[in-house]
Amino acid sequence: MKKLVFNISNKQIFGGCLLSSIAHAIMTNEYPDLAYEQSWDGDNYSKQFEQYRMTVSFRDDYCVGVIRNDDFQGVSGQTVDALLKESKFPTVAIDLLKAETLEYVLLDSKDGSVVPVVTSLFYCNMKELLILSDDGEALAADAASLALYIAPMEQQVGYWKDYYEMSEEHIVLLLDLFRIKSEKFYTTVRLTDVQRKMLPGEGIDEECIVSFAEMNIVV
């Protein structure tokens, strides 16, 4: 087992996931074909591209996550169980991984069964992030992919601004909604008329409505 440890809190990871998903929701109004890239399902945040998928499950004082990077050979079944046994993750974290998080990385196996396939697993409490894998190169790549979510706020905003070609008005909306949802993620929030007009594109796309609704934001 290979592992990396960082002085990072679960709140930092949550903030990164929240910021990126709000930017995503805003810009799906202009790029609805990218709606699949990020989503929330209750307390579970997912990001995916063609060769990559990450899901993070949040609780108040910790989070757990899985990453599958298809550029590397994934691990599944008994290997995942073996990693978890060696991980020293708290029992509640292992239970959450098995009950929820690993359900987002299921693939068909050669014997016809459906099993979770990952390249890395991670656990983060209020002080420390622990990432582990059975492959050193995969571990380094997966840790690098997490770097955006724990980078300084300005760097994260700059990344999403460039990725989606966001205007200054879009950034204002992003930061305003991020501030509101950081304080009350589970409370339903309605966009004001002014905020609706700040969305890109013409009219309101259904994918935009859905992406916001996953975060309890009504467009």
mmCIF file with all atom_site columns, all heavy atoms in Angstrom, residues 44 74 137 142 174 188 209:
data_model
loop_
_atom_site.group_PDB
_atom_site.id
_atom_site.type_symbol
_atom_site.label_atom_id
_atom_site.label_alt_id
_atom_site.label_comp_id
_atom_site.label_asym_id
_atom_site.label_entity_id
_atom_site.label_seq_id
_atom_site.pdbx_PDB_ins_code
_atom_site.Cartn_x
_atom_site.Cartn_y
_atom_site.Cartn_z
_atom_site.occupancy
_atom_site.B_iso_or_equiv
_atom_site.pdbx_formal_charge
_atom_site.auth_seq_id
_atom_site.auth_comp_id
_atom_site.auth_asym_id
_atom_site.auth_atom_id
_atom_site.pdbx_PDB_model_num
ATOM 1  N N   . ASN A 1 44  ? -23.151 13.556 -1.523  1.00 0.00 ? 44  ASN A N   1
ATOM 2  C CA  . ASN A 1 44  ? -22.115 12.980 -2.380  1.00 0.00 ? 44  ASN A CA  1
ATOM 3  C C   . ASN A 1 44  ? -21.872 13.872 -3.599  1.00 0.00 ? 44  ASN A C   1
ATOM 4  O O   . ASN A 1 44  ? -22.782 14.115 -4.394  1.00 0.00 ? 44  ASN A O   1
ATOM 5  C CB  . ASN A 1 44  ? -22.523 11.581 -2.843  1.00 0.00 ? 44  ASN A CB  1
ATOM 6  C CG  . ASN A 1 44  ? -22.814 10.655 -1.684  1.00 0.00 ? 44  ASN A CG  1
ATOM 7  O OD1 . ASN A 1 44  ? -21.939 10.340 -0.886  1.00 0.00 ? 44  ASN A OD1 1
ATOM 8  N ND2 . ASN A 1 44  ? -24.062 10.219 -1.570  1.00 0.00 ? 44  ASN A ND2 1
ATOM 9  N N   . GLY A 1 74  ? -6.958  0.001  -12.538 1.00 0.00 ? 74  GLY A N   1
ATOM 10 C CA  . GLY A 1 74  ? -7.716  0.154  -11.306 1.00 0.00 ? 74  GLY A CA  1
ATOM 11 C C   . GLY A 1 74  ? -7.656  -1.091 -10.437 1.00 0.00 ? 74  GLY A C   1
ATOM 12 O O   . GLY A 1 74  ? -7.236  -2.158 -10.872 1.00 0.00 ? 74  GLY A O   1
ATOM 13 N N   . GLU A 1 137 ? 2.376   5.549  -8.906  1.00 0.00 ? 137 GLU A N   1
ATOM 14 C CA  . GLU A 1 137 ? 2.137   6.535  -9.962  1.00 0.00 ? 137 GLU A CA  1
ATOM 15 C C   . GLU A 1 137 ? 0.684   6.992  -9.966  1.00 0.00 ? 137 GLU A C   1
ATOM 16 O O   . GLU A 1 137 ? 0.393   8.176  -10.143 1.00 0.00 ? 137 GLU A O   1
ATOM 17 C CB  . GLU A 1 137 ? 2.523   5.960  -11.322 1.00 0.00 ? 137 GLU A CB  1
ATOM 18 C CG  . GLU A 1 137 ? 4.016   5.769  -11.513 1.00 0.00 ? 137 GLU A CG  1
ATOM 19 C CD  . GLU A 1 137 ? 4.372   5.331  -12.918 1.00 0.00 ? 137 GLU A CD  1
ATOM 20 O OE1 . GLU A 1 137 ? 3.470   5.294  -13.783 1.00 0.00 ? 137 GLU A OE1 1
ATOM 21 O OE2 . GLU A 1 137 ? 5.553   5.033  -13.164 1.00 0.00 ? 137 GLU A OE2 1
ATOM 22 N N   . ASP A 1 142 ? -3.528  10.982 -8.724  1.00 0.00 ? 142 ASP A N   1
ATOM 23 C CA  . ASP A 1 142 ? -4.801  11.252 -8.060  1.00 0.00 ? 142 ASP A CA  1
ATOM 24 C C   . ASP A 1 142 ? -4.658  12.368 -7.032  1.00 0.00 ? 142 ASP A C   1
ATOM 25 O O   . ASP A 1 142 ? -5.557  13.202 -6.867  1.00 0.00 ? 142 ASP A O   1
ATOM 26 C CB  . ASP A 1 142 ? -5.327  9.977  -7.398  1.00 0.00 ? 142 ASP A CB  1
ATOM 27 C CG  . ASP A 1 142 ? -5.785  8.943  -8.422  1.00 0.00 ? 142 ASP A CG  1
ATOM 28 O OD1 . ASP A 1 142 ? -5.917  9.302  -9.604  1.00 0.00 ? 142 ASP A OD1 1
ATOM 29 O OD2 . ASP A 1 142 ? -6.004  7.782  -8.030  1.00 0.00 ? 142 ASP A OD2 1
ATOM 30 N N   . LEU A 1 174 ? -20.850 33.727 -8.945  1.00 0.00 ? 174 LEU A N   1
ATOM 31 C CA  . LEU A 1 174 ? -20.219 32.553 -8.341  1.00 0.00 ? 174 LEU A CA  1
ATOM 32 C C   . LEU A 1 174 ? -19.843 32.813 -6.887  1.00 0.00 ? 174 LEU A C   1
ATOM 33 O O   . LEU A 1 174 ? -20.186 32.027 -5.992  1.00 0.00 ? 174 LEU A O   1
ATOM 34 C CB  . LEU A 1 174 ? -18.967 32.179 -9.143  1.00 0.00 ? 174 LEU A CB  1
ATOM 35 C CG  . LEU A 1 174 ? -18.001 31.186 -8.502  1.00 0.00 ? 174 LEU A CG  1
ATOM 36 C CD1 . LEU A 1 174 ? -18.676 29.840 -8.264  1.00 0.00 ? 174 LEU A CD1 1
ATOM 37 C CD2 . LEU A 1 174 ? -16.753 31.020 -9.372  1.00 0.00 ? 174 LEU A CD2 1
ATOM 38 N N   . THR A 1 188 ? -32.676 25.770 1.357   1.00 0.00 ? 188 THR A N   1
ATOM 39 C CA  . THR A 1 188 ? -33.057 26.125 -0.001  1.00 0.00 ? 188 THR A CA  1
ATOM 40 C C   . THR A 1 188 ? -32.889 27.628 -0.231  1.00 0.00 ? 188 THR A C   1
ATOM 41 O O   . THR A 1 188 ? -33.324 28.438 0.578   1.00 0.00 ? 188 THR A O   1
ATOM 42 C CB  . THR A 1 188 ? -34.526 25.735 -0.279  1.00 0.00 ? 188 THR A CB  1
ATOM 43 O OG1 . THR A 1 188 ? -34.665 24.320 -0.129  1.00 0.00 ? 188 THR A OG1 1
ATOM 44 C CG2 . THR A 1 188 ? -34.936 26.130 -1.690  1.00 0.00 ? 188 THR A CG2 1
ATOM 45 N N   . ILE A 1 209 ? -31.064 24.287 -14.398 1.00 0.00 ? 209 ILE A N   1
ATOM 46 C CA  . ILE A 1 209 ? -32.035 24.155 -13.304 1.00 0.00 ? 209 ILE A CA  1
ATOM 47 C C   . ILE A 1 209 ? -31.720 22.933 -12.450 1.00 0.00 ? 209 ILE A C   1
ATOM 48 O O   . ILE A 1 209 ? -31.712 23.000 -11.219 1.00 0.00 ? 209 ILE A O   1
ATOM 49 C CB  . ILE A 1 209 ? -33.467 24.067 -13.868 1.00 0.00 ? 209 ILE A CB  1
ATOM 50 C CG1 . ILE A 1 209 ? -33.852 25.381 -14.550 1.00 0.00 ? 209 ILE A CG1 1
ATOM 51 C CG2 . ILE A 1 209 ? -34.467 23.730 -12.761 1.00 0.00 ? 209 ILE A CG2 1
ATOM 52 C CD1 . ILE A 1 209 ? -35.177 25.327 -15.284 1.00 0.00 ? 209 ILE A CD1 1
#
